[in-house]
Amino acid sequence: MPIKIVILPEKNMQPVHKAQAGTFESSDIMILIEPLDNDGDNHIELSSSVGKQFKDQINRDITELLQKYEITGARIIAKDKGALSPTIKARVETAVLRSLDKQQGTLK
Amino acid sequence: MARNALNIEIPEKLDGLGALEPYQGVWTKLQKGWMSEQTVPPAIKARMPHTSKMCDSLEEAILKCNPQDGMTVSFHHHLRSGDDILVQAMTILANMGIKDIILASSSLTSAHEPILPFIEQGIISQIYSSGIRGAIGEACARGIMKKPFVIHSHGGRVRSVQTGKIKIDLAIIAASAADEEGNATGSHGPSAFGSIGYAMIDAWYAKQVVVVTDNLVDYPCVPPSIRQNYVDYVVEVDSIGDAKKIASGTTRITKAPLDLRIAKLASEAIIHSGLFKNGISFQVGAGGASLAVAKFVREAMKKHEIVGSFLLGGVTSYGVNMLNEGLFRAIFDVQSFDAAVSQSIMNNPYHIEIGAALYANPFNCGCMINKLDIVVLGALEVDVNFNVNVITGSEGDVRGASGGHSDTAAGANLTIVVCPSFRGRLPIIKKKVNNVVTPGDSVDIVVTERGICVNPKNIELEQKLKKAGLNIKKIQDLEIEVDKITGQPDPIEHTDKVVGVIEYRDGTIIDTIKQIKE
């Protein structure tokens, strides 16, 4: 049996520092996450090459992931080049974990 | 409002176009053997012997043609994205204060974007073209022109000229070599571009014809692709365009794995279609997966020792190589895509330059596409009824070209559309396409990386391909599969205003393009 490592979400977490995941390549999304001073709402700034057709679905994917980790007080800058839903979720999850110091990233 | 055979609403008439005839089916208009519309007579002119046609500048030539408001000016697009003549000529007309011009170019490319201000200012008030892209395409979809634009096929354009729907007052024909009487060609010279096929009908029908060249040769210019008896004036200019963008090098086969996989599957479908035998005729597009099919077909022809009859259409150096290898006996060339092709037209008598009428006009005693066995075409979108969109993008902008798509699809025994099932996040196989250019009744199979969909009208073909072990899918199932991957895109928001129409090759209206809501 392969061992599955599960990182359990904690309650009401705010990013510790800036983090990013993803690339600007076609079919990918670049996620930048940083703590806000407000201690409350999350702000998502989305730009997408398929925004006209998919902006609601992309926002929903990002929001769901933030809710899963109960992230608060974060700014998310998302630059999408037509990533599929699983890609978006994976990139957001990685950025979140990096910002919480639970995974090594590129901006630390 | 009437509904056409695809159940698409077509207005009875539109300002600037008059009455519209709804599309009735691929063959309905052709079956009786005659065109119901009247043709108009071509202009008949007279000229005294030993008088000169030479003008000092393009401006002088245009002035001699007595330009008027509301005139129709035509061009060919054989110089592709290297063309400089269309913009030069439109700028001259604009500077003369001419307005309400109807622009009838066989297609428009990125090189033509400088005319955008003329469209915005009403100097150009209507466009007839087989393709519109880039900033001009976006502006067209926003509805900035006074009159609706018309997207026609290459074959359909000929009919439009002959029936006077496109009534050309002035044809400006760029040539890479010409003589003082107007015999002209694209097959040699520093700006060589190969076939000049789309300009032939303009030369014949236009009230006035100006040949523009950057390579005036001693009389006579050989081959005389455009003949002197149609030409009023000849101008020598420094340059007709950017030679590197007109034609350079040879076309390479894509290395993209997805395109290659689709092409391989398409070639297997061809090999097992029952049509893959001596005497086969064949046409592929110049881009991506479509051209890559030629690579696999070439290998298979060598392996099975098959010799085809002819290659048709837009011709690349890849096709020329197949001719030189003896895999095909001839090429009929209406449009050439790279520099190597020009030399072949010039030197090989079996590489035959043809006009758009012989290529694809449905109203004559038989255009070349009627003799075509297999065509491989691309697509921006395909719906579950096999209807193909090659003109409007996912955001409703005009960004493609009808070209010979619907012509060749109608003619070929086996019409293959190759496309990925989705691009980025955009589904290509959809329940409904934004716009229909080529009706599903003229499409036989759609080949994607996820399998091959056979139009249900081809029961025998489907059995053959299944027997050969190919992955055959119902197009409805593929649509659902793709939808699960990409999600359902939000629909494009349109106003009710029709900004353009898409003409089927027989002159009926197959679809309308609505204004994008901003």
Side-chain angles (χ1 to χ4, degrees):
Chain A
M1 279 285 280
I3 302 164
K4 212 173 171 187
I5 300 167
V6 180
I7 302 164
L8 285 173
E10 294 162 21
K11 292 284 170 194
N12 293 326
M13 292 191 296
Q14 194 181 23
V16 182
H17 51 73
K18 269 190 191 176
Q20 70 171 45
T23 69
F24 290 122
E25 297 294 318
S26 171
S27 299
D28 200 352
I29 186 168
M30 168 67 99
I31 301 288
L32 195 74
I33 182 167
E34 62 182 10
L36 283 175
D37 285 340
N38 72 355
D39 210 33
D41 291 349
N42 295 322
H43 289 274
I44 301 172
E45 295 163 23
L46 170 67
S47 60
S48 169
S49 60
V50 292
K52 267 195 185 163
Q53 299 92 341
F54 288 105
K55 78 174 171 302
D56 292 347
Q57 291 179 56
I58 299 168
N59 271 319
R60 198 183 321 139
D61 281 341
I62 296 173
T63 310
E64 269 175 25
L65 221 294
L66 295 179
Q67 279 166 357
K68 179 178 161 192
Y69 283 94
E70 300 193 22
I71 297 292
T72 55
R75 169 188 284 144
I76 312 284
I77 299 168
K79 293 191 186 299
D80 172 56
K81 286 265 189 77
L84 295 172
S85 181
T87 312
I88 296 169
K89 287 177 179 164
R91 292 305 194 191
V92 177
E93 183 159 26
T94 305
V96 163
L97 292 175
R98 285 173 177 171
S99 79
L100 297 172
D101 264 344
K102 296 193 182 290
Q103 191 174 312
Q104 285 292 306
T106 45
L107 269 194
K108 172 83 195 286
Chain B
M1 264 323 165
R3 285 187 178 272
N4 70 13
L6 297 176
N7 206 25
I8 294 169
E9 279 192 352
I10 306 294
E12 272 150 36
K13 58 178 183 179
L14 280 176
D15 285 345
L17 285 178
L20 303 179
E21 188 181 1
Y23 163 75
Q24 296 151 29
V26 177
W27 304 113
T28 314
K29 298 276 287 179
L30 309 187
Q31 269 160 350
K32 68 175 166 181
W34 301 91
M35 180 168 68
S36 35
E37 286 167 277
Q38 293 275 318
T39 53
V40 296
I44 303 293
K45 292 167 273 190
R47 185 159 205 103
M48 293 299 286
H50 303 288
T51 50
S52 171
K53 296 181 179 180
M54 292 302 298
C55 298
D56 288 337
S57 65
L58 183 54
E59 198 163 6
E60 187 195 323
I62 290 175
L63 257 180
K64 279 187 173 166
C65 295
N66 190 24
Q68 306 276 342
D69 290 352
M71 73 190 299
T72 299
V73 188
S74 84
F75 300 87
H76 67 71
H77 73 289
H78 291 293
L79 305 181
R80 291 168 287 271
S81 49
D83 180 21
D84 200 26
I85 293 303
L86 187 148
V87 174
Q88 271 187 43
M90 293 315 294
T91 307
I92 290 168
L93 286 163
N95 290 340
M96 287 175 179
I98 309 295
K99 50 186 191 296
D100 271 339
I101 296 168
I102 299 169
L103 173 63
S105 182
S106 54
S107 196
L108 292 169
T109 68
S110 57
H112 302 134
E113 288 196 3
I115 65 166
L116 188 58
F118 303 150
I119 299 172
E120 287 163 347
Q121 293 156 21
I123 293 166
I124 297 168
S125 59
Q126 191 169 27
I127 291 177
Y128 284 82
S129 182
S130 72
I132 307 179
R133 299 182 171 82
I136 300 176
E138 282 168 34
C140 283
R142 287 204 314 273
I144 64 162
M145 262 182 305
K146 245 193 266 176
K147 292 181 266 182
F149 59 90
V150 178
I151 301 294
H152 50 59
S153 73
H154 288 323
R157 181 174 189 269
V158 177
R159 188 216 67 262
S160 283
V161 172
Q162 291 192 304
T163 57
K165 265 191 187 171
I166 301 176
K167 211 170 185 320
I168 305 171
D169 294 298
L170 171 59
I172 296 178
I173 300 176
S176 63
D179 63 35
E180 62 200 17
E181 288 296 311
N183 295 300
T185 185
S187 62
H188 54 93
S191 306
F193 52 82
S195 175
I196 197 166
Y198 299 133
M200 291 178 182
I201 189 68
D202 304 44
W204 183 19
Y205 263 74
K207 239 187 243 169
Q208 311 252 17
V209 177
V210 174
V211 163
V212 187
T213 187
D214 53 7
N215 177 34
L216 193 70
V217 298
D218 288 338
Y219 188 89
C221 171
V222 176
S225 310
I226 299 289
R227 306 235 170 179
Q228 66 181 52
N229 54 323
Y230 296 128
V231 180
D232 293 88
Y233 301 108
V234 180
V235 185
E236 190 182 19
V237 294
D238 292 339
S239 158
I240 57 171
D242 180 347
K244 276 193 207 117
K245 289 184 185 163
I246 290 169
S248 62
T250 55
T251 310
R252 282 171 203 274
I253 302 284
T254 177
K255 290 198 169 85
L258 180 63
D259 283 342
L260 287 172
R261 169 164 168 82
I262 295 167
K264 182 87 173 99
L265 289 174
S267 71
E268 281 164 13
I270 291 170
I271 291 163
H272 295 106
S273 65
L275 295 167
F276 191 65
K277 51 192 177 197
N278 279 326
I280 188 175
S281 59
F282 190 54
Q283 176 168 354
V284 291
S290 180
L291 180 62
V293 176
K295 166 186 147 82
F296 296 112
V297 166
R298 175 187 180 195
E299 287 163 7
M301 287 178 82
K302 284 182 179 170
K303 191 176 151 197
H304 298 276
E305 294 182 354
I306 282 174
V307 176
S309 56
F310 68 94
L311 284 168
L312 181 61
V315 175
T316 61
S317 52
Y318 205 82
V320 171
N321 288 344
M322 289 168 87
L323 176 71
N324 292 339
E325 287 172 343
L327 292 177
F328 287 92
R329 290 199 296 275
I331 293 181
F332 292 97
D333 187 342
V334 71
Q335 178 182 13
S336 323
F337 286 118
D338 55 48
V341 178
S342 302
Q343 287 171 7
S344 174
I345 286 194
M346 183 73 188
N347 300 321
N348 188 341
Y350 288 89
H351 187 150
I352 302 152
E353 185 177 16
I354 60 169
L358 176 55
Y359 171 51
N361 180 14
F363 294 105
N364 56 38
C365 296
C367 51
M368 297 305 305
I369 59 121
N370 286 4
K371 198 77 183 117
L372 195 55
D373 286 319
I374 293 167
V375 66
V376 184
L377 299 165
L380 290 173
E381 298 175 323
V382 183
D383 74 16
V384 290
N385 296 314
F386 292 81
N387 297 313
V388 182
N389 174 18
V390 281
I391 193 72
T392 46
S394 55
E395 298 188 353
D397 51 329
V398 184
R399 51 164 299 174
S402 161
H405 203 282
S406 65
D407 294 318
T408 51
N413 273 325
L414 177 63
T415 298
I416 302 174
V417 169
V418 289
C419 58
S421 58
F422 62 94
R423 286 190 187 95
R425 193 179 181 163
L426 299 168
I428 305 302
I429 308 295
K430 299 172 76 174
K431 275 208 178 69
K432 193 172 176 297
V433 286
N434 292 331
N435 284 108
V436 180
V437 171
T438 297
D441 279 349
S442 60
V443 174
D444 296 298
I445 64 175
V446 174
V447 180
T448 74
E449 79 285 8
R450 286 168 192 275
I452 297 172
C453 306
V454 182
N455 191 322
K457 68 175 183 163
N458 304 314
I459 300 160
E460 261 179 54
L461 178 66
E462 181 165 347
Q463 284 166 347
K464 276 184 198 154
L465 299 185
K466 270 187 178 156
K467 217 171 135 193
L470 294 177
N471 179 15
I472 307 296
K473 268 181 190 167
K474 269 193 180 161
I475 197 161
Q476 288 84 355
D477 295 343
L478 181 59
E479 189 274 327
I480 293 165
E481 189 181 331
V482 171
D483 183 73
K484 277 187 189 150
I485 297 167
T486 64
Q488 191 67 234
D490 297 333
I492 301 163
E493 290 192 65
H494 290 116
T495 72
D496 286 338
K497 188 182 169 191
V498 172
V499 294
V501 301
I502 303 168
E503 235 180 38
Y504 191 55
R505 58 198 298 262
D506 61 10
T508 57
I509 304 300
I510 194 159
D511 205 350
T512 62
I513 296 172
K514 302 245 174 81
Q515 184 179 38
I516 307 176
K517 206 180 250 182
E518 290 186 67

